[in-house]
Amino acid sequence: AKAKKSLVEFGIFAMEFGKVTADFNATRQKIVMNPRWNKYYGPGGTDWDGPLRDGRNRGGEPYYCPKGWKRFSFVVTNEIYQKYKVYDWPICYHGTKFDFSMMITLSGLKASGGCHGDGVYLSPSIKYVSHSRYCAPFEFLPVHLEQAKDIGWAKHYIEEFENYQNKWIQVAFMCRVKPGKYRKLRDTMQLEFLDKHLDEDGKFDNID
């Protein structure tokens, strides 16, 4: 019951304060938030250096700490975890505009065109997806908090976002990617300074 009170509040915020600028087809009517698994990454929170060594395989891919980010979790049923064994899937990120966060939450990531063709574009590097080209900053103003109160946000989320007033925030989705269902390609910005971090196959040699 407690989780249901937190129903899709973060997404409602995006719909209330962000102009809907893209069509979407909702595949679900609601998302139940799961505050138990909310966490801050970095000093004073969940923090580690180098690839995480916790005994999980994650498709053989390294997982680095997304330092400086706060995770807001939603409920994923045990049935999903057991059926798809998602703990063994690699973790990647998708940066987006704040306006789109509700649409993606309800409809999922959709394949679209890009420099490598149609597909969903993800990166194992939170630093890369946080570039403003993908993860556009959004200024959280006091008026936004007042509007959140007006639409009935739960108290703990109001208190959480009081800390973000007059600050710029970004939104990125932490995703699990099914092994064997993705391709590794060079960066989509194709910036020369990144070349020193790429091996001969055009893949990151260090993605933290």
Side-chain angles (χ1 to χ4, degrees), residues 52-109:
L52 182 61
R53 303 186 186 281
D54 59 355
R56 293 179 179 170
N57 180 265
R58 295 188 182 86
E61 303 291 348
Y63 172 40
Y64 294 87
C65 183
K67 295 176 185 288
W69 285 77
K70 175 70 180 285
R71 185 176 77 182
F72 292 90
S73 298
F74 59 83
V75 172
V76 178
T77 65
N78 288 331
E79 180 183 1
I80 294 295
Y81 279 116
Q82 293 172 4
K83 180 178 181 180
Y84 296 104
K85 310 296 183 184
V86 294
Y87 279 126
D88 294 329
W89 293 15
I91 292 175
C92 284
Y93 305 95
H94 179 84
T96 187
K97 294 181 179 180
F98 194 83
D99 299 3
F100 295 166
S101 59
M102 174 62 162
M103 294 182 285
I104 293 175
T105 300
L106 292 181
S107 64
L109 292 168

Side-chain angles (χ1 to χ4, degrees), residues 153-164:
W153 270 30
K155 181 180 178 181
H156 65 273
Y157 278 117
I158 294 293
E159 293 174 347
E160 172 75 35
F161 277 86
E162 284 179 344
N163 299 321
Y164 296 97

